[in-house]
Amino acid sequence: MTSLATTEAEAPARAEPRRSGRLLMASAVAVLVAWVLVPIYLLVVNAFGSVAAVSAWPKSLVPEFDLSSLAFFANYAGVPRALLNSFLVAGLTMVMSIGLGAPAGYALARFRFPGANLFRLAVLMTRAFPLPLLALPLTVLFIRVGLDDTIIGLALVHTTLAMPFAVLIMASLFLSIPEELEEAAWTLGCSRLSAFRKVVLPLALPGIAAAGIFAFVISWNEVFAAAVLTIENKTLTAFLLQSLDVSPLPLKFAGGAVLIVPALLFLFAVRKYLFSLWGIANR
Amino acid sequence: MADIDIRQVAKRFGNHQALHAVNLTVADGEFVVLLGASGSGKTTLLRIVAGLEKASHGTVIIGGRRVDDLPPRRRGIAMVFQNYAVFPHMTVFDNIGFGLAMQKVPAAEIERRVRRVAELLHIEELLKRYSGQLSGGQRQRVAVARALAVEPAVLLMDEPLSNLDALLRLEMRAELKGVLQESRTTTIYVTHDQVEAMSLADRIAVMHEGRIVQAAPATEVYHHPATRFVGGFIGNPPMNFLPAEREGEGARVAGHLFRDAPAADAALLFGIRPEDLVPAGKGLAGRVRVVEPLGPHQLVTMDLAGHLFRVVLDNDLAVRPGETLTLAPRPGRVRWFDADSGVSLTQTTQPEPATGA
């Protein structure tokens, strides 16, 4: 693709299909982008519209900037508490995902052990297991253990959901750090642990943070387990879901925006590490 | 400073026997090069000495101490890796001082020693830089400086020059030799480049299929290859080999009778270096195929009794393709091998070196 102009001049016969292919590609991209962005745009516009403008029709083309919907949302009974719960659960999920996922990812990246591939597959397969099937037994178990309706209980479930991604992201992350760097550290006086701390960790830190943020977002967006397992300590998603039919329109839009915007920003920040999940080098 | 004694070291990876009971001693201050093609086991042997790989069998003794169960950091070694392994998140200064910092050397002393090795390798101006801001040659210097800074008893180098371009490699080779001669550190150096091996080594250990086939000074390895493999592996172009028929006390090679063949019972193989032949009235006669002028010499490829035969001749001799050339070996340069086992049957004329295996 370095000299597109010359190749097209040399091969005029091939230029036409290539141009139409590019057109097809561009329109497909446009449709996909619109598919994602239009709902978000409407959501944000309505969230920042005044309470009156939200239900008005036709919409004015120029979006207004009015915090009254958000203010209404913030003052709605139960919202601050749900927001705090969401933060706590997502934060705990992040910590546990890193704490458990980093060693697992390191092992997958550095050690050859029998069943490594099976383990890799098993980690992914946990995502294939339908959560609704688990809902009832899990609830019963949680009630017995006393974990029902607690932040930590929900965080445990969310960690399970986030773990496959955390493990695989961090495995590819550790794989991208040359083993020779660790070996060099060993020959220079490091044990495996201190080599990890002084050489691997500083290099992996941005990626580990990204995996953590991804876990945070998964927990932040999760509805089903949150709705089933909590009653008093509802997270924001569960709270909104439950009050969907009784809450006024501005609340829905403001709630939706508050849920989506942080998740989007976080994912945008860590996108290159998410690509690494699929084996694309993250350098 | 320490000597190294490698005894019966073997290594097996699954079904693949990477090393077969290797023995090698390296004297205190000696520079030994492990030379071999890829897959010959040279890097595996080096990594076993370093402690990065565990031997399946055998013992490594460094400075009189068995190190088989010691991790790399307790062996008194330092290693230079093929791709340098300069820590990207540290400055050059911190890289070079890393080993000293791990030993809890006081900061002032670290500063002094880092400056000294940086000076030795001409990288004083780079101390504040990161590895991403360095060229390949500069990274190489940092890697060597980092290994020397800890003043190891044993220095291990794994193809340290192979990632550099040809010109830089030549320059670094000469410089490395100077630096290491000065430090007199016991060194094992792995390479597949025979020129590198010859130029650096006190002694070359030629490896082939997981065995050391010859460990001797460069000139001896070159002139007295212990096996047919060594003769064919070392030298460019390699040694010529021709089948020989025993005839009385001597042997007939391509129609010419050599009277001084060894009196062994085995079938004979005749070997001679391409530069050890001169045009003569009688001797080995063959048809010239290709003539390649190489500046000071010309490389003549000929067909000798159906065998490919290469000769390096002086430039002033006019040789044309198609003509017949008759060559006689220089006195004392013919080597005889056992045709079956490939082992040399010619007595070594040079005395065994004091450091010999």
Side-chain angles (χ1 to χ4, degrees):
Chain A
M1 296 293 274
T2 47
S3 55
L4 209 61
T6 55
T7 47
E8 277 188 17
E10 283 160 12
R14 285 181 55 201
E16 202 47 47
R18 196 179 294 175
R19 197 167 300 149
S20 67
R22 230 182 298 163
L23 196 71
L24 194 71
M25 177 76 177
S27 37
V29 168
V31 167
L32 277 177
V33 168
W35 178 268
V36 174
L37 286 188
V38 168
I40 294 173
Y41 172 76
L42 289 176
L43 195 68
V44 172
V45 162
N46 279 327
F48 284 106
S50 63
V51 175
V54 167
S55 29
W57 190 263
K59 301 264 180 220
S60 91
L61 261 181
V62 188
E64 45 183 350
F65 188 74
D66 187 313
L67 292 177
S68 60
S69 283
L70 284 173
F72 175 72
F73 168 74
N75 291 324
Y76 194 83
V79 166
R81 176 78 196 279
L83 200 58
L84 178 70
N85 283 342
S86 267
F87 263 110
L88 286 177
V89 172
L92 259 174
T93 301
M94 182 167 85
V95 169
M96 287 194 287
S97 297
I98 293 175
L100 295 171
Y106 184 84
L108 269 182
R110 282 290 186 264
F111 302 117
R112 279 203 207 149
F113 51 93
N117 280 325
L118 192 70
F119 177 67
R120 199 182 277 268
L121 190 69
V123 161
L124 262 184
M125 288 310 281
T126 57
R127 289 301 317 221
F129 197 84
L131 192 59
L133 220 61
L134 262 183
L136 194 62
L138 203 60
T139 312
V140 171
L141 181 75
F142 270 32
I143 290 173
R144 261 190 220 152
V145 183
L147 276 175
D148 59 307
D149 202 14
T150 59
I151 301 285
I152 180 84
L154 187 54
L156 278 173
V157 174
H158 285 177
T159 303
T160 315
L161 294 177
M163 194 60 90
F165 299 102
V167 170
L168 294 184
I169 289 176
M170 284 192 266
S172 81
L173 179 70
F174 290 131
L175 265 180
S176 75
I177 296 171
E179 210 165 350
E180 286 85 359
L181 290 180
E182 266 180 278
E183 292 179 341
W186 299 343
T187 62
L188 289 166
C190 284
S191 61
R192 195 176 262 278
L193 193 68
S194 63
F196 182 84
R197 217 179 59 237
K198 285 177 188 292
V199 174
V200 178
L201 200 57
L203 293 171
L205 213 51
I208 291 177
I213 285 172
F214 192 60
F216 185 96
V217 170
I218 284 180
S219 165
W220 181 264
N221 285 344
E222 203 280 331
V223 184
F224 184 80
V228 171
L229 290 174
T230 56
I231 301 160
E232 292 293 313
N233 287 312
K234 285 214 177 302
T235 62
L236 192 57
T237 46
F239 177 80
L240 285 176
L241 181 73
Q242 195 188 34
S243 53
L244 209 55
D245 48 341
V246 296
S247 58
L249 208 50
L251 182 76
K252 292 177 188 167
F253 280 123
V258 165
L259 274 176
I260 275 181
V261 171
L264 270 182
L265 291 180
F266 280 161
L267 286 184
F268 188 74
V270 303
R271 65 194 181 285
K272 71 169 183 171
Y273 293 99
L274 298 183
F275 286 132
S276 79
L277 182 65
W278 312 116
I280 303 165
N282 56 6
R283 280 182 241 196
Chain B
M1 292 283 151
D3 58 342
I4 307 167
D5 192 356
I6 297 165
R7 288 184 196 161
Q8 296 288 315
V9 164
K11 176 70 183 178
R12 172 178 276 282
F13 292 109
N15 282 329
H16 173 64
Q17 189 80 36
L19 289 174
H20 302 268
V22 167
N23 289 301
L24 180 70
T25 54
V26 182
D28 187 8
E30 194 183 15
F31 194 127
V32 167
V33 170
L34 296 181
L35 175 64
S38 61
S40 61
K42 54 194 193 305
T43 294
T44 303
L45 183 58
L46 189 80
R47 289 172 61 85
I48 286 173
V49 175
L52 297 173
E53 210 83 66
K54 216 170 163 51
S56 314
H57 186 260
T59 291
V60 177
I61 296 165
I62 297 176
R65 193 167 53 121
R66 255 194 76 186
V67 295
D68 299 321
D69 297 319
L70 297 179
R73 64 180 194 280
R74 303 217 187 285
R75 295 188 174 203
I77 54 131
M79 186 155 168
V80 178
F81 292 80
Q82 181 171 8
N83 55 8
Y84 321 136
V86 174
F87 302 133
H89 59 298
M90 296 179 195
T91 61
V92 168
F93 182 97
D94 289 338
N95 260 284
I96 300 177
F98 186 84
L100 299 172
M102 287 306 296
Q103 293 172 15
K104 308 251 186 288
V105 173
E109 172 72 5
I110 291 180
E111 171 96 22
R112 196 182 66 75
R113 276 162 78 173
V114 169
R115 298 231 170 261
R116 207 190 59 214
V117 289
E119 208 173 303
L120 200 64
L121 286 147
H122 309 296
I123 47 174
E124 305 103 301
E125 305 83 37
L126 307 179
L127 288 175
K128 288 201 179 72
R129 299 226 199 140
Y130 286 88
S131 125
Q133 303 163 294
L134 303 177
S135 69
Q138 290 169 333
R139 256 176 246 177
Q140 175 56 54
R141 284 163 195 272
V142 173
V144 174
R146 183 176 67 184
L148 288 177
V150 295
E151 291 172 9
V154 169
L155 183 60
L156 305 171
M157 305 180 106
D158 186 9
E159 307 228 12
L161 303 183
S162 65
N163 284 357
L164 300 179
D165 60 61
L167 209 65
L168 202 56
R169 185 152 57 212
L170 219 63
E171 184 191 319
M172 265 314 279
R173 192 174 79 200
E175 205 165 313
L176 208 56
K177 183 159 189 172
V179 168
L180 293 175
Q181 254 165 9
E182 200 167 317
S183 76
R184 294 307 304 168
T185 307
T186 312
T187 304
I188 301 182
Y189 184 108
V190 162
T191 184
H192 62 266
D193 181 338
Q194 46 172 298
V195 182
E196 209 170 288
M198 300 238 184
S199 95
L200 289 170
D202 292 331
R203 208 149 48 90
I204 297 177
V206 183
M207 292 198 68
H208 180 51
E209 290 175 350
R211 290 188 174 86
I212 292 180
V213 284
Q214 187 171 17
T219 50
E220 192 186 326
V221 169
Y222 187 80
H223 288 297
H224 294 272
T227 66
R228 179 194 175 149
F229 169 80
V230 177
F233 181 70
I234 292 192
N236 187 18
M239 192 174 240
N240 292 299
F241 297 100
L242 292 171
E245 289 287 333
R246 206 174 269 288
E247 196 172 302
E249 291 292 284
R252 189 168 287 280
V253 177
H256 181 75
L257 182 70
F258 289 88
R259 302 196 177 283
D260 52 354
D265 217 7
L268 288 178
L269 188 71
F270 168 89
I272 183 107
R273 289 268 173 213
E275 64 276 19
D276 287 342
L277 291 144
V278 284
K282 62 177 207 160
L284 302 167
R287 221 168 72 88
V288 175
R289 278 263 184 93
V290 184
V291 180
E292 297 166 76
L294 298 175
H297 312 289
Q298 53 186 339
L299 174 59
V300 179
T301 306
M302 39 197 285
D303 182 349
L304 215 154
H307 296 271
L308 203 67
F309 198 83
R310 292 198 193 82
V311 198
V312 174
L313 295 173
D314 277 345
N315 244 349
D316 47 16
L317 193 77
V319 184
R320 266 179 302 278
E323 68 183 32
T324 302
L325 197 60
T326 307
L327 300 160
R330 292 179 199 275
R333 292 297 169 92
V334 173
R335 302 289 173 255
W336 297 99
F337 297 88
D338 182 323
D340 298 318
S341 67
V343 173
S344 173
L345 300 171
T346 309
Q347 291 295 312
T348 303
T349 49
Q350 289 186 347
E352 272 292 305
T355 52

